[in-house]
Amino acid sequence: MEHNRIPLPPLVTPGEVTTFYAYEGGAARNAMLSALALQLAGAGAGAPDRTRAGSPVLMIDWDLDAPALHRHFELSSDGEEACAVLARPDADCDADPGLPPGAEGGAGGEAQRRARPGLVDFFEACRTQLRREASQRTGAGSDEVLAERVLDAIDWQNYVERADQRRPLYLMRAGRFDGSYAERAGRLDWEALFDACPALFRRFGARMARHFSHVLVASRPGRSPAVSVCTTLLADRLVGLFTPSPGSLDGFEGAVRRAIEYRCTHEDEQRPLLVYPLACAPDGARSDPHQRWRRGDARLGAPGYQPRIEVLLRACYGWPRVNLDSYFDELQLPLADAMSTAGPGTDRRALARFAGVLAEWVAPGRFPWQSLDEIRLRAAVARARPAHSGAEFAANARELADSLARLGGLCRREGRFDEARACLEECLALRQDTLDKDHPSVRAARADVALLLLDAGALPEARRQYELLGQSCARSVGADDPETLSARSRLARVLAGLGEAERALALHEQVVAACERALGDEHPATLDSLEDLAISLTQQHEYGRARIVCERVLEGRRRQLGAEHEDTLRCGQRLAQLLGEMGELGNARRLLEAVLRARERHDGPDAAGALGAREALAEILAAQGDLAAVRSIQESLARTRERHLGAGHPETLDMQLRLASTLGQQGETEAARRLREQVAELRRHLEQAEGIDLQRSEAEDRQQREHGHRQGPGEGVQVSDSLGHKLAQLQNLIDSRSPREARALADSLRNTVLRPSVADPLRRRGAAMIKQVYLQDGDKDALLSFTQDEVSSLEGALIEAARDNPVPSR
């Protein structure tokens, strides 16, 4: 590696420090770090845009006992990459007995390269400078100031060398590999350095990040003060590799918990830490064909690494929606490939794909529970945000709108309605600004917004959007076009939900007649309009008519799409629940069991559709009095929700309460009491945390208003929104026709929804859903009372606004 002075001015935006940690062994750690470094420095198509342009990357070998990172980038004396100089463990050479394992090099220029300083030499210089400062200091100063003075006195560029001539890739090796290296490395006392200047390591990392977009640190394995420096004091991001070996995952979990705990309990260290786990098996995902290591095996009592890590991240971040399916689908590292990439003469392509995918999470700082699809869509949104005017603005706006539409659809499917609404409404606004008001893309965007509002229970707003959509479709494609008829059919559903039953049913009948006349009895648009009619009839408790219509839709879907198409299964489940309402429990059970088997076969037992079908089946079984079967399903659903959402998530707690009720009906009163007490305790903790979050949210809102700053949709990180989760749960209870549970939750949310700090869209959505529950429950007194509270809340907000912004006197 050539050793010239490095012309690296400070970056406009400082970079990030990423520590690579493996509890045991460093070969896979070094291989993955090296592969990621090449990606971030611009070696592959998967590298982010800003790194492709040549952003510098620094690697630091902190594994002083077995330094080997330099072997991945060994250069000959003329600066070109060489394949023949790589030292092998079995090489027959005159190795210096003072060198650490793996530090022996090839011939030609190796003695010169051994003499170059590195990490050990840098911190030896820091130790010397700290002693000098201690002897010369006349007054007390902060640790931060002392750390900066020490680092100012030592030129870090003397300890860093170029590792690649084609890319801005640099290395700080473990140290000068001479006869005294092992003794000097062993003599370096990390705890003493920290005691002398606690801010030294943090400021060192920050200084390196001023000049390098990414600083990748290879930590030593195990547990030691050096490991704590790398994982706790230096890191902004932590990549942890673990294997099926006993203790490997425990070691990774321990390192994460210690780092998080330290940062939470030390005021100067309260910085975020992003954690990226890497599962390493001998042959990657192929080593675990039945996914027992990943998912667990209940028969063996093995929980699986994915559920364990999801629990770990939920506890560390306080974020309930941790699902690592997409992450681990992409990143299960083959150890065999990692072990084969130990030098520049080997085929580095073995890990290139994994490193490229990991870079998509690490480079922009995305959470590992964000799916790869979401990450790529957010990257597309960021790239497409218009920065120019004229024709280029219009082109960028159309690209941005398309990306926002796809991102909004993804958020909607995952139940994140607020994020979905922000994306879809911005998409609609962009298309309205750049296209004709009746353009097909504008109509499609409006249809997406309207459907989201309908699903979220924001019925007045959904009504307005469907009215506009119907008018636009009629002007553009005609009154009898399937698109126009679909908009009118959905409008009828909204009207039914708002209590305008006669108008809704009249509109439904008009739409159905028009579909049959223009398109035929079994056209998809005709079946869709009939299904909408069945939903409205069910809401009006006209079960007999609803059943006839639903059966017709189910038969038509079976002929057109097949018995196991998603639309057919959805309609079958709807009919089964309707039969349950009518008391035909045997028919309902058989139909639901068939739907559940198909969903589990196609989507898996933990898919959302399968969980919904299983929960609906439990309701039918409960009505039949088969409490043993109900208990079995509820226990399974409770475990699944706890695994995917966390023990304190509202949906998990709701299922635990249902299970407690079943236990009580079976006569197990003590078990039911203990379970209810456990749920109550968890809810108390959640309410306390919610109060803290609310205070923090109000402070952040005030700060944003003072600075006039608002973050755009699709940017930044996800923020925990417990009210949003509860409203999503309420919508699920409404859809699944669980009136008792929906009423209880609606009552508990009355005061929360009307708080002044709640965002206006969330407040309106919550208020509409609570009114819908009271209306369906037939409780006009509760509806009137809540409406009066809502008016009082609005009056209070107006009075407060007038006080803050008085009208000047004339």
Side-chain angles (χ1 to χ4, degrees), residues 289-306:
H290 302 294
Q291 299 198 58
R292 292 193 180 96
W293 181 43
R294 175 180 173 181
R295 301 286 186 180
D297 190 332
R299 295 171 300 176
L300 301 177
Y305 68 76
Q306 179 172 325

Side-chain angles (χ1 to χ4, degrees), residues 447-686:
D448 288 340
V449 171
L451 181 59
L452 179 72
L453 294 171
L454 173 59
D455 289 344
L459 299 182
E461 297 166 273
R463 175 180 186 168
R464 176 61 178 161
Q465 292 297 336
Y466 275 122
E467 287 173 343
L468 292 173
L469 179 61
Q471 295 165 8
S472 179
C473 291
R475 286 192 302 266
S476 303
V477 295
D480 289 340
D481 187 87
E483 186 180 355
T484 308
L485 296 171
S486 174
R488 296 180 66 202
S489 181
R490 292 293 169 84
L491 174 60
R493 272 185 61 184
V494 173
L495 293 173
L498 289 170
E500 301 183 29
E502 291 185 9
R503 185 178 175 189
L505 292 178
L507 183 55
H508 272 306
E509 290 171 357
Q510 293 173 16
V511 171
V512 171
C515 286
E516 291 173 335
R517 181 180 62 253
L519 305 171
D521 291 349
E522 293 195 353
H523 189 277
T526 304
L527 297 177
D528 287 342
S529 67
L530 285 167
E531 187 170 359
D532 286 336
L533 171 59
I535 294 172
S536 294
L537 289 170
T538 302
Q539 289 177 336
Q540 303 306 318
H541 304 289
E542 294 192 31
Y543 297 137
R545 291 180 63 191
R547 173 182 180 172
I548 294 171
V549 175
C550 204
E551 287 176 339
R552 176 182 167 184
V553 174
L554 181 58
E555 288 304 313
R557 296 219 190 276
R558 282 173 175 167
R559 284 192 295 269
Q560 294 291 327
L561 303 172
E564 297 191 354
H565 188 274
E566 170 59 31
D567 291 346
T568 308
L569 295 175
R570 184 189 67 244
C571 187
Q573 183 168 332
R574 193 182 305 281
L575 176 59
Q577 291 174 290
L578 180 57
L579 292 172
E581 294 284 351
M582 299 176 68
E584 296 189 26
L585 302 179
N587 290 333
R589 177 174 182 170
R590 285 189 291 273
L591 185 51
L592 266 177
E593 287 173 340
V595 169
L596 178 58
R597 286 194 298 270
R599 289 196 179 281
E600 289 181 335
R601 184 164 56 250
H602 291 290
D603 304 326
D606 288 351
L611 295 177
R614 198 175 296 124
E615 191 166 347
L617 178 59
E619 296 288 336
I620 300 299
L621 294 170
Q624 287 185 315
D626 191 350
L627 296 180
V630 173
R631 174 177 178 174
S632 176
I633 290 177
Q634 289 175 340
E635 288 174 340
S636 170
L637 288 169
R639 287 193 300 268
T640 301
R641 288 183 175 178
E642 182 173 357
R643 185 167 65 249
H644 289 294
L645 300 175
H649 193 276
E651 293 183 24
T652 307
L653 297 178
D654 174 67
M655 185 51 62
Q656 295 278 18
L657 285 178
R658 295 189 191 188
L659 175 58
S661 176
T662 302
L663 291 172
Q665 293 177 55
Q666 287 186 303
E668 298 187 29
T669 55
E670 182 61 24
R673 183 189 63 79
R674 287 197 303 269
L675 188 53
R676 289 193 182 97
E677 289 178 351
Q678 177 184 338
V679 171
E681 181 65 22
L682 281 169
R683 280 186 168 164
R684 278 194 293 271
H685 288 307
L686 285 173

Side-chain angles (χ1 to χ4, degrees), residues 112-327:
Q112 180 183 356
R113 289 192 295 276
R114 290 179 185 175
R116 291 173 185 149
L119 185 76
V120 169
D121 311 282
F122 179 86
F123 280 104
E124 282 182 331
C126 289
R127 181 178 58 193
T128 301
Q129 185 63 27
L130 278 169
R131 291 170 178 168
R132 187 177 295 118
E133 291 282 340
S135 64
Q136 295 175 355
R137 286 175 67 183
T138 57
S142 71
D143 290 332
E144 301 282 338
V145 173
L146 174 59
E148 291 295 339
R149 280 206 305 267
V150 170
L151 295 172
D152 286 340
I154 304 167
D155 189 354
W156 61 266
Q157 297 194 24
N158 293 329
Y159 304 86
V160 172
E161 48 198 312
R162 189 75 178 255
D164 192 297
Q165 298 307 305
R166 294 173 294 174
R167 293 169 281 265
L169 188 57
Y170 300 85
L171 171 68
M172 178 181 283
R173 63 170 70 201
R176 180 185 292 111
F177 296 147
D178 56 19
S180 64
Y181 169 83
E183 179 186 354
R184 290 186 294 111
R187 198 168 55 234
L188 199 56
D189 190 336
W190 301 106
E191 287 184 289
L193 279 172
F194 176 80
D195 291 339
C197 182
L200 178 63
F201 298 114
R202 182 176 69 251
R203 298 312 307 162
F204 167 71
R207 181 160 299 209
M208 294 298 97
R210 289 182 205 166
H211 299 273
F212 298 93
S213 295
H214 294 277
V215 180
L216 308 182
V217 179
S219 169
R220 64 160 293 173
R223 181 177 177 180
S224 69
V227 171
S228 296
V229 169
C230 296
T231 58
T232 302
L233 302 178
L234 282 174
D236 300 305
R237 294 156 190 179
L238 178 61
V239 177
L241 286 75
F242 59 92
T243 70
S245 302
S248 181
L249 184 53
D250 291 339
F252 166 67
E253 287 181 324
V256 172
R257 292 186 187 278
R258 287 190 294 273
I260 296 291
E261 181 180 1
Y262 182 86
R263 294 191 178 198
C264 289
T265 55
H266 289 73
E267 184 176 353
D268 293 338
E269 296 291 347
Q270 291 186 0
R271 298 170 287 140
L273 178 67
L274 289 175
V275 177
Y276 301 95
L278 279 183
C280 305
D283 200 21
R286 292 187 296 272
S287 300
D288 190 28
H290 302 294
Q291 299 198 58
R292 292 193 180 96
W293 181 43
R294 175 180 173 181
R295 301 286 186 180
D297 190 332
R299 295 171 300 176
L300 301 177
Y305 68 76
Q306 179 172 325
R308 283 183 61 178
I309 294 175
E310 288 172 344
V311 169
L312 172 69
L313 297 184
R314 279 196 290 267
C316 290
Y317 292 103
W319 176 253
R321 302 175 67 92
V322 174
N323 186 316
L324 300 181
D325 283 346
S326 175
Y327 182 84

